[in-house]
Amino acid sequence: MNVPTMADMMAQGKQPKVLFWVGAAGSYDDRAKKISRAFVKILHQAKVDFAVLGTEESSTGDAAKRAGNEFLFQMQAMMNIEVLNGYEVKKIVTCDPHSFNTLKNEYPSLGGKYEVFHHTQFIQNLISEGRLTLDDTTLKGKRVTFHDPCYLGRANDVYESPRELIKRLGVNLTEMKRHKSTALCCGAGGAQMFKDAEKGDKEINVLRTEDALETKPNIIATGCPYCNTMMTDGIKFKEKEAEVVVKDIAELIAEANNL
Amino acid sequence: MQYLPNIIFALALALGLSFFTMNIRKLLRNIKLGKDVNRTDKKPERLKNMLMIALGQSKMVKRPFSGFLHIIVYLGFIIINIEVVEIIIDGLFGTHRIFQGLLGDGLYGFLIGVFEVLAALVFVAVVLFWLRRNVSNIKRFLSKEMKGWPKNDGNYILYIEMVLMTLFLVMNATDVSFQQAGIGNTISQFIAPLFDGFSPEGLHTIERTCWWIHILGILVFLNYLYYSKHLHILLAFPNTYFANLNPKGQFTNLESVTTEVKLMMDPDADPYATPPEGAEDAVPEKFGASDVADLNWVQLLNAYTCTECGRCTSSCPANLTGKELSPRKIMMDTRDRLEEVGRNIDANKGVFVDDGKQLLNDYISPEELWACTSCNACVEECPVNIDPLSIIMDMRRYLVMEESAAPQELNMMMTNIENNGAPWQYNQQDRLNWAKEE
Ligand code: SF4
Ligand code: SF4
């Protein structure tokens, strides 16, 4: 798969229009890597002039910040900003709502001002510019429910672009009882992904999976690699792997378009 | 002697108002114990928020049943204040229903008629509220933090409202000339027959008694506010005005940290250089919050404004899955501690004397703080724009940056970020491997 890096581009004297910020999950986590690849396939299909930082990318510091380590966060942020500004990056797209939120909202006051898109927003723009069409036949008739990632939805009020894309796939979009601004967290945010939950009587991802299962879906659509992991684990816990799959919207689009 | 009631009334009024003013000043002083934060930008947007959310109750109605009942009680409260103005004038000058002459029978009758209907509706709404709190098993009214005072407080207010509304209606019902005029007695005309057998003097005594208890009750209610979650009827307005306007996911970048990080990253910085003038006697900055004075004044205002409705807690994923965390408790603890600090200052002639306690550990446990997913559900739900998450985050910052007391797994995650640029233990050189697989 051809994924150009900013360094390569620079060596060839090129300045790509947009940087794809892959994020730690999208780079290392086996499940999330598939989302990164699906998204790159979409970028290729729409002939988007993009590049990644590759080995020059580092953690945005989101998890450190939400764990309370403002020092580590700001060190990461300033290092990243130095690299990004060095390449004169203007536009960034990412499949990770946590990177999205941090780059968009928390980097500006530290000197990193970019136009930041979540991949669902970016794909929606490609469609409205006529650079991409979604095949609405492949997945036709499937029941899909969308789990709003907290850092995309409540944190940044992005509720519509993921739904718009899902609807364009010709599927049957059903809403969970808690959705949009009242959606329940998958349990991974605020650095919870990296530690065991406190003592309680249930895991959050199981409760959220129950919300999703109530809609009797074939597919649980996600827009965040961490939500994806949490919901996948929830489905395993409920032993529903045979009936329900968890897929990122980028994966659904790549699948529909036969990429 | 004929002025005696007027004098007693004036004294009661002055006493009630000055006690109230004293408490409000205490409240302002306590809020000012918080750190400064600038919330004076974007005035039109702030005003709009206040009008929509505090005045227009736009977030209350997201839960339609309680939202609707709340609006009735709220309207009742606002409009009946006009009646209170009349009572105060009558009380001070010994007049009787002064507005009737001033406004004319038509308008006065209409107004009082509306008040009576509202009073009756408020009574019904309050009874329903009481049933919800005490009879139906609504989980958020049964939480641990709602035992004792918070539960009683909620009920006391409902009782006071019931009594005040009853007094108002009975007062009108036993006001013979008012009933005879037949203007505005929409509800009280049905109560009046209950007193049919009473002598004119008897009726007059009842009417006067109701009048007195009604106005004294209102003064007591006013002064009860400070001690109660019902302070929100006043503070909802400033609280929504000064609320955070940034995207909910945007957390503050601590400036004190920025300065240090810049120094650390600047290769030209001379660590032994003489600090800029004035810096040497600056108090070393404490990172994060362990007590109320480390929070900012908006967070403290939040604590006083909290209505203990529990909407936040009932939408908190940690709480829903049985963890210790309850965002409502975070707000109640913050207020309790702030009050304790305030009493300490009062007892020590205006200065705080260390009492060996703080918000962290003595009120809020690290276990509660670590259970938060930072999902913002509590912030979204709060009908008066309180931000419990910001307090949780500031306290986590203290735990991590001042006490290095993060859970072990989080320490590992942070070490990985520091060494490998990712929360997991992978080599940064492998960061693009995903592109070569498949
Ligand atoms: S932000 Fe934290 S306290 Fe608030 S609802 Fe989410 S998990 Fe609960
Ligand atoms: S913080 Fe807001 S939602 Fe939570 S109990 Fe207080 S007023 Fe209700």
Side-chain angles (χ1 to χ4, degrees):
Chain A
M1 175 177 269
N2 175 28
V3 182
T5 63
M6 290 303 272
D8 295 342
M9 294 291 240
M10 179 114 133
Q12 299 165 32
K14 287 187 203 151
Q15 168 75 30
K17 292 229 169 57
V18 51
L19 171 80
F20 171 27
W21 184 275
V22 188
S27 306
Y28 294 120
D29 178 85
D30 284 332
R31 180 68 190 83
K33 284 192 229 174
K34 293 187 183 156
I35 304 172
S36 307
R37 287 194 288 265
F39 182 55
V40 166
K41 287 176 190 166
I42 298 169
L43 292 175
H44 282 320
Q45 192 185 28
K47 299 198 169 52
V48 176
D49 177 23
F50 79 99
V52 298
L53 283 174
T55 56
E56 287 184 277
E57 189 184 287
S58 187
S59 159
T60 56
D62 162 79
K65 186 175 186 94
R66 282 157 245 249
N69 195 337
E70 184 72 7
F71 270 102
L72 182 52
F73 163 72
Q74 292 204 12
M75 302 245 279
Q76 287 298 122
M78 287 192 205
M79 263 158 35
N80 286 324
I81 289 170
E82 216 167 277
V83 174
L84 290 167
N85 289 355
Y87 284 119
E88 292 176 33
V89 169
K90 303 263 159 6
K91 270 192 192 184
I92 302 179
V93 60
T94 177
C95 305
D96 173 2
H98 295 267
S99 297
F100 168 75
N101 176 69
T102 301
L103 292 167
K104 183 178 180 342
N105 297 320
E106 288 161 0
Y107 276 32
S109 76
L110 299 173
K113 299 197 173 76
Y114 321 102
E115 210 183 333
V116 189
F117 299 90
H118 183 244
H119 66 315
T120 55
Q121 296 175 310
F122 193 80
I123 296 173
Q124 211 194 355
N125 287 350
L126 291 176
I127 294 172
S128 58
E129 287 163 14
R131 296 167 64 188
L132 184 76
T133 41
L134 304 191
D135 187 326
D136 61 358
T137 55
T138 326
L139 295 172
K140 199 167 191 76
K142 296 264 191 224
R143 280 176 71 85
V144 179
T145 191
F146 176 63
H147 162 72
D148 288 276
C150 306
Y151 273 86
L152 189 63
R154 265 190 302 272
N156 286 290
D157 283 323
V158 181
Y159 298 113
E160 287 314 321
S161 58
R163 287 180 169 77
E164 280 299 309
L165 294 181
I166 294 172
K167 282 186 206 143
R168 279 177 186 272
L169 294 171
V171 300
N172 212 334
L173 175 65
T174 58
E175 296 287 2
M176 295 182 230
K177 64 175 191 287
R178 301 182 247 233
H179 65 280
K180 294 190 179 170
S181 65
T182 59
L184 187 78
C185 176
C186 71
Q192 298 294 338
M193 182 78 191
F194 307 102
K195 64 183 254 299
D196 286 333
E198 275 54 40
K199 189 168 56 54
D201 43 49
K202 204 180 230 176
E203 295 294 331
I204 295 174
N205 66 327
V206 171
L207 182 62
R208 186 51 170 167
T209 306
E210 288 166 358
D211 280 1
L213 289 176
E214 270 174 32
T215 70
K216 308 231 172 321
N218 306 113
I219 300 169
I220 299 173
T222 59
C224 168
Y226 301 102
C227 296
N228 194 305
T229 304
M230 292 312 246
M231 299 307 280
T232 308
D233 288 351
I235 290 294
K236 280 194 200 127
F237 181 84
K238 292 267 159 190
E239 298 177 352
K240 293 280 181 200
E241 300 108 301
E243 298 124 80
V244 188
V245 290
V246 181
K247 287 264 168 88
D248 190 273
I249 294 178
E251 295 178 293
L252 292 177
I253 293 175
E255 191 181 325
N257 282 11
N258 247 317
L259 301 174
Chain B
M1 272 313 273
Q2 64 174 1
Y3 293 116
L4 194 59
N6 309 38
I7 294 169
I8 294 175
F9 182 85
L11 281 177
L13 193 66
L15 192 72
L17 289 179
S18 53
F19 200 64
F20 177 70
T21 320
M22 187 187 88
N23 273 337
I24 289 296
R25 288 172 60 173
K26 211 176 267 179
L27 175 111
L28 289 174
R29 180 204 62 199
N30 289 355
I31 288 176
K32 282 189 191 142
L33 293 175
K35 292 213 162 91
D36 199 20
V37 55
N38 183 12
R39 291 286 164 87
T40 52
D41 57 336
K42 305 189 194 156
K43 293 201 171 69
E45 199 180 330
R46 296 190 177 284
L47 200 63
K48 191 180 139 221
N49 265 353
M50 186 175 88
L51 293 177
M52 297 279 295
I53 299 165
L55 196 66
Q57 311 250 309
S58 57
K59 287 181 94 175
M60 261 323 278
V61 293
K62 291 210 171 131
R63 298 199 184 179
F65 183 71
S66 54
F68 177 68
L69 294 185
H70 189 266
I71 286 191
I72 292 178
V73 175
Y74 166 71
L75 279 180
F77 169 76
I78 299 228
I79 299 180
I80 284 173
N81 274 323
I82 305 177
E83 167 70 17
V84 173
V85 175
E86 181 181 50
I87 291 184
I88 289 177
I89 299 176
D90 283 350
L92 286 175
F93 301 103
T95 48
H96 184 67
R97 296 191 182 264
I98 178 99
F99 287 171
Q100 190 171 0
L102 293 177
L103 302 174
D105 280 0
L107 183 57
Y108 186 76
F110 172 75
L111 280 178
I112 296 290
V114 172
F115 296 166
E116 287 203 351
V117 172
L118 266 172
L121 286 175
V122 168
F123 191 90
V124 174
V126 165
V127 169
L128 290 174
F129 271 143
W130 186 88
L131 289 172
R132 267 164 64 78
R133 276 186 174 263
N134 298 283
V135 181
S136 65
N137 279 324
I138 296 176
K139 202 174 152 240
R140 67 180 205 266
F141 297 131
L142 303 172
S143 321
K144 266 189 286 192
E145 67 262 25
M146 295 311 284
K147 302 269 145 47
W149 169 251
K151 183 181 168 80
N152 296 338
D153 177 28
N155 282 333
Y156 291 160
I157 275 293
L158 295 177
Y159 300 141
I160 295 180
E161 297 240 25
M162 286 182 213
V163 171
L164 286 180
M165 294 305 123
T166 310
L167 287 170
F168 174 66
L169 290 173
V170 171
M171 174 182 93
N172 282 357
T174 49
D175 185 337
V176 179
S177 60
F178 176 73
Q179 288 299 328
Q180 274 164 0
I183 47 155
N185 55 350
T186 33
I187 304 289
S188 58
Q189 59 181 305
F190 302 108
I191 303 174
L194 293 178
F195 300 94
D196 268 353
F198 285 68
S199 65
E201 296 77 39
L203 284 176
H204 184 70
T205 313
I206 296 174
E207 193 265 344
R208 281 293 91 192
T209 312
C210 289
W211 186 94
W212 273 100
I213 305 180
H214 183 64
I215 186 64
L216 292 178
I218 286 174
L219 286 175
V220 169
F221 179 82
L222 183 73
N223 281 291
Y224 178 77
L225 287 184
Y226 177 78
Y227 305 96
S228 158
K229 77 196 191 79
H230 287 81
L231 199 49
H232 76 270
I233 62 179
L234 303 174
L235 295 189
F237 292 88
N239 197 71
T240 47
Y241 184 86
F242 292 118
N244 178 32
L245 294 178
N246 293 331
K248 290 194 193 65
Q250 176 178 341
F251 293 3
T252 52
N253 291 329
L254 284 185
E255 263 177 60
S256 46
V257 172
T258 313
T259 329
E260 296 213 11
V261 171
K262 279 199 174 133
L263 266 176
M264 266 151 53
M265 294 188 53
D266 181 0
D268 303 327
D270 174 4
Y272 303 108
T274 38
E277 203 155 328
E280 56 271 25
D281 35 56
V283 193
E285 181 87 37
K286 175 168 165 187
F287 298 113
S290 64
D291 208 351
V292 283
D294 308 324
L295 297 169
N296 67 48
W297 64 267
V298 174
Q299 291 168 317
L300 300 183
L301 172 63
N302 279 181
Y304 273 121
T305 311
C306 177
T307 74
E308 297 170 16
C309 67
R311 290 186 179 207
C312 51
T313 295
S314 72
S315 65
C316 170
N319 191 275
L320 284 170
T321 51
K323 278 80 179 176
E324 278 296 318
L325 174 63
S326 159
R328 166 171 60 188
K329 178 178 170 293
I330 301 281
M331 300 318 300
M332 293 167 70
D333 287 342
T334 306
R335 176 176 174 167
D336 287 350
R337 173 61 183 157
L338 183 54
E339 276 291 287
E340 186 178 57
V341 168
R343 284 193 300 273
N344 179 316
I345 293 177
D346 288 337
N348 295 299
K349 303 186 185 68
V351 283
F352 177 69
V353 175
D354 189 11
D355 58 357
K357 286 206 229 169
Q358 54 175 3
L359 185 58
L360 182 67
N361 296 324
D362 296 306
Y363 286 84
I364 299 173
S365 69
E367 182 183 344
E368 292 166 61
L369 298 172
W370 288 118
C372 173
T373 71
S374 74
C375 71
N376 264 306
C378 52
V379 187
E380 177 79 35
E381 275 288 329
C382 180
V384 286
N385 279 22
I386 285 169
D387 187 350
L389 173 56
S390 70
I391 297 180
I392 295 173
M393 280 313 305
D394 282 346
M395 294 184 76
R396 273 193 190 179
R397 285 170 170 175
Y398 178 85
L399 281 174
V400 170
M401 293 193 286
E402 296 280 347
E403 305 214 307
S404 310
Q408 193 44 37
E409 302 127 299
L410 287 187
N411 283 331
M412 261 153 58
M413 177 271 286
M414 293 188 279
T415 312
N416 286 332
I417 291 185
E418 225 173 304
N419 297 336
N420 318 318
W424 298 284
Q425 214 175 16
Y426 292 107
N427 191 329
Q428 191 158 4
Q429 289 313 310
D430 294 337
R431 218 177 163 100
L432 197 52
N433 289 4
W434 61 272
K436 295 171 203 117
E437 292 161 19
E438 190 181 44

